[in-house]
Amino acid sequence: MTNHCAYRPDHEHDHDDAPGPLEDNPIWRQDNVLLHSVGMDIGSSGTQVVFSRLHLRRMGEELTSRYVVVRRENVYRSPVALTPYAGADRIDAEALGVIVDRAYQAAGVDPAGVDAGVVILTGEALRRGNAEAIARVLAERGGELVTATAGHHMEAMLAAYGSGAARTSHDTGARLLTVDIGGGTTKLAVVDRGRIVRTAALHIGGRLLAYDPRGRLTRLEPGGERQAARAGLAPRLGERIGPPEVERLGSAMADALLAALAHPSGGGSADELWLTEPIGPLDGVSGAVFSGGVAEYVYDREPRDFGDLGRALGRALRRRLDAGALPFPLLPAGECIRATALGASEYSVQLSGNTGCVTAPDRLLPRRNLQVVRPDYALGDRIDADALAAAIRRRLTDLDADTSPADVVLALHWQGLPRYDRLVAFARAVRDGLATRTAFGHALYVVLDGDVAMTLGRLLREELGVTVDLFVADGLTLRDFDYVDLGRLRHPSNTVPVTIKSLVFAADPLPAGPGAAAR
């Protein structure tokens, strides 16, 4: 163990295989980082793989260590394949592996060259008994730093980014609603000036039932049965379902979705369909962007029928939207069916600042599945170390993380002047708030959204006597209940890739009422 905060130069280097002499320049590479990322979307209906190349640049002109994405390049998008199932309860692992392997081969990508990425399972695919195992196997095959994730809130965020709605909101300063309709679930997000402020999900999707060319039902999810019952139908596997029944079901689901949006805080006829807490007030929303497979029909991009409810649902929604069913307009299409995969490949990664404290990179990195603990507190001109330490201990206790042997990440907010008296009080609060964990010898993982990580680490180590291994990084914004993977230390930029995810695998995605599955 070293006795000071230092980055050691015996770790993974930033990619230097990009064309052109500028990107080979070590000075350029200190402020610029190139990441190769992958997103695998294993959904109720379709499976797809997207490879991206991200260029992040340090905001040096603003005297900060924070890195921001300045360019995204889609390297390869696989064809959308039907998600393979092996019966009603399991995903066909072998067939799914073939789909993913073909995508890597077609893209010419070696898993060893992937810096970050996400395998996300969504909708009805989550219900399969081997869903979590499948996600982890694909993550391991996809590259050392590719992670497995699932969850309605995570998918809603990725879809909002991947559809282009977040960028539109940022560029225009608008408050937008995104509606991502997949095969099994509908994800909602409110995006305000580029920032996602709320997410939610409903059990409405285009492939809750499926039928063969003769109209015989070959797939009937529990959610499909519930939706059919709402429409006054009682379909059974093997029986025939005709076009009038399909249209009736699609119309009923469109009405249910619009009823939920008419009562976004709950209390409407669609309350039983919420998979999370309702989305909340939609005041100030100036437009809606639809994405997901069903959006291909909402925007009249896809004429074909794939033997499910997607076309009937999408067209029914479009008729109602054209008739003014929402109090705000339908905005032009961005990415539809590929929104989640694009979001997973491009928007699930942050890069730490280049000024931090990592005392033992070999022991501390990389790390997978670290729970984020974010205490609630306010910082004034004078920092009350005892009050802040109490807030940290309280949040650790709330999440059963105070004595847990598992590593956790303490996410802290910093604001105000970096005076010594404020910084040493802040550091004392971190030391005292984490004293139970350090007493057991646990390493400390601390991330901040302000540029004080190196100073904080040195105060903890040199003035306050913290002797356990320290990882203190800045330039990162994490939330309570996030899970993150920390990549290897990169040189010469002295940065660490951080992949953000949520690990929620459920046997039955439909709770017994609104809010039962809230994040």
Side-chain angles (χ1 to χ4, degrees):
M1 179 186 303
T2 57
N3 292 319
H4 60 282
C5 296
Y7 287 116
R8 295 193 344 223
D10 55 342
H11 290 271
E12 182 173 320
H13 287 247
D14 295 332
H15 291 284
D16 56 2
D17 57 350
L22 179 62
E23 296 181 11
D24 291 333
N25 188 316
I27 297 176
W28 183 89
R29 287 166 51 208
Q30 288 179 358
D31 290 336
N32 295 267
V33 175
L34 302 177
L35 295 179
H36 297 271
S37 181
V38 62
M40 305 183 207
D41 179 14
I42 317 300
S44 305
S45 303
T47 290
Q48 53 191 308
V49 184
V50 174
F51 297 91
S52 298
R53 188 168 186 249
L54 312 181
H55 176 190
L56 297 95
R57 180 181 298 154
R58 187 174 70 88
M59 300 171 65
E61 67 277 6
E62 298 184 18
L63 301 180
T64 177
S65 65
R66 183 182 295 273
Y67 283 77
V68 298
V69 176
V70 295
R71 187 174 73 249
R72 298 179 177 88
E73 176 187 357
N74 292 321
V75 176
Y76 176 78
R77 304 182 184 193
S78 76
V80 180
L82 287 177
T83 299
Y85 294 100
D89 299 324
R90 300 181 71 80
I91 296 170
D92 189 330
E94 183 177 352
L96 190 60
V98 169
I99 293 172
V100 173
D101 288 344
R102 284 176 177 170
Y104 273 78
Q105 293 168 6
V109 173
D110 183 343
V114 175
D115 298 301
V118 166
V119 180
I120 182 167
L121 274 87
T122 61
E124 291 298 311
L126 288 176
R127 297 183 59 250
R128 277 25 188 207
N130 61 341
E132 184 171 4
I134 289 290
R136 295 191 186 282
V137 168
L138 289 180
E140 291 169 2
R141 289 170 63 172
E144 181 186 12
L145 298 175
V146 177
T147 68
T149 182
H152 305 305
H153 293 282
M154 173 63 72
E155 187 184 3
M157 288 188 288
L158 294 180
Y161 283 121
S163 67
R167 176 171 291 277
T168 298
S169 171
H170 176 272
D171 293 346
T172 63
R175 188 178 182 89
L176 304 178
L177 173 70
T178 65
V179 184
D180 184 85
I181 311 174
T185 55
T186 294
K187 281 68 58 180
L188 307 174
V190 176
V191 192
D192 190 9
R193 289 170 290 182
R195 187 170 64 92
I196 297 171
V197 295
R198 290 196 304 276
T199 56
L202 290 153
H203 207 217
I204 294 172
R207 204 167 175 82
L208 291 174
L209 64 78
Y211 48 89
D212 64 19
R214 296 178 299 169
R216 303 287 180 180
L217 279 179
T218 58
R219 177 176 172 183
L220 182 59
E221 304 288 353
E225 291 184 287
R226 296 183 180 104
Q227 291 289 354
R230 289 173 60 90
L233 299 171
R236 296 289 183 270
L237 280 175
E239 295 181 355
R240 188 178 183 279
I241 184 170
E245 289 79 19
V246 172
E247 292 299 320
R248 184 172 166 184
L249 259 173
S251 293
M253 284 201 296
D255 290 336
L257 174 55
L258 294 171
L261 295 178
H263 297 85
S265 298
S269 61
D271 268 8
E272 65 180 22
L273 299 178
W274 288 106
L275 294 167
T276 63
E277 289 287 352
I279 189 67
L282 300 178
D283 299 343
V285 169
S286 61
V289 175
F290 280 67
S291 62
V294 174
E296 300 285 346
Y297 299 104
V298 173
Y299 290 109
D300 198 22
R301 288 178 164 185
E302 175 60 72
R304 294 172 293 173
D305 177 28
F306 292 92
D308 55 28
L309 301 172
R311 185 169 68 174
L313 172 56
R315 290 182 173 180
L317 278 170
R318 183 55 186 258
R319 290 193 298 270
R320 287 155 176 76
L321 294 173
D322 288 345
L326 291 178
F328 35 79
L330 173 67
L331 298 181
E335 290 290 343
C336 290
I337 197 170
R338 298 184 184 276
T340 301
L342 285 169
S345 70
E346 297 183 7
Y347 295 96
S348 58
V349 180
Q350 293 188 39
L351 195 68
S352 76
N354 61 354
T355 55
C357 174
V358 183
T359 58
D362 285 329
R363 288 193 294 271
L364 291 167
L365 300 170
R367 278 291 187 275
R368 287 183 179 270
N369 299 340
L370 302 189
Q371 182 178 8
V372 174
V373 177
R374 186 179 176 94
D376 184 22
Y377 61 89
L379 290 182
D381 182 65
R382 177 183 172 277
I383 294 177
D384 186 333
D386 292 336
L388 179 52
I392 293 172
R393 287 192 295 268
R394 186 164 53 250
R395 197 65 191 127
L396 287 168
T397 301
D398 290 344
L399 299 176
D400 296 322
D402 48 348
T403 59
S404 169
D407 289 324
V408 298
V409 173
L410 178 65
L412 298 173
H413 169 62
W414 170 266
Q415 67 181 26
L417 296 174
R419 298 194 313 261
Y420 174 79
D421 63 302
R422 299 183 80 240
L423 285 166
V424 75
F426 193 78
R428 188 176 297 115
V430 172
R431 180 198 64 183
D432 296 348
L434 297 172
T436 300
R437 294 191 60 81
T438 56
F440 283 96
H442 298 315
L444 299 189
Y445 291 85
V446 181
V447 303
L448 306 106
D449 54 7
D451 296 325
V452 294
M454 181 177 288
T455 302
L456 177 61
R458 286 177 173 168
L459 287 170
L460 288 168
R461 175 69 82 203
E462 299 171 9
E463 295 195 24
L464 299 180
V466 175
T467 58
V468 298
D469 288 340
L470 290 176
F471 173 92
V472 188
D474 49 27
L476 298 167
T477 303
L478 302 180
R479 306 184 309 163
D480 237 351
F481 301 109
D482 278 337
Y483 281 79
V484 297
D485 286 0
L486 305 177
R488 297 185 184 277
L489 186 65
R490 308 174 62 88
H491 284 276
S493 62
N494 291 337
T495 56
V496 174
V498 179
T499 303
I500 304 168
K501 58 188 179 177
S502 171
L503 294 176
V504 182
F505 290 86
D508 187 345
L510 192 63
R519 188 180 189 197

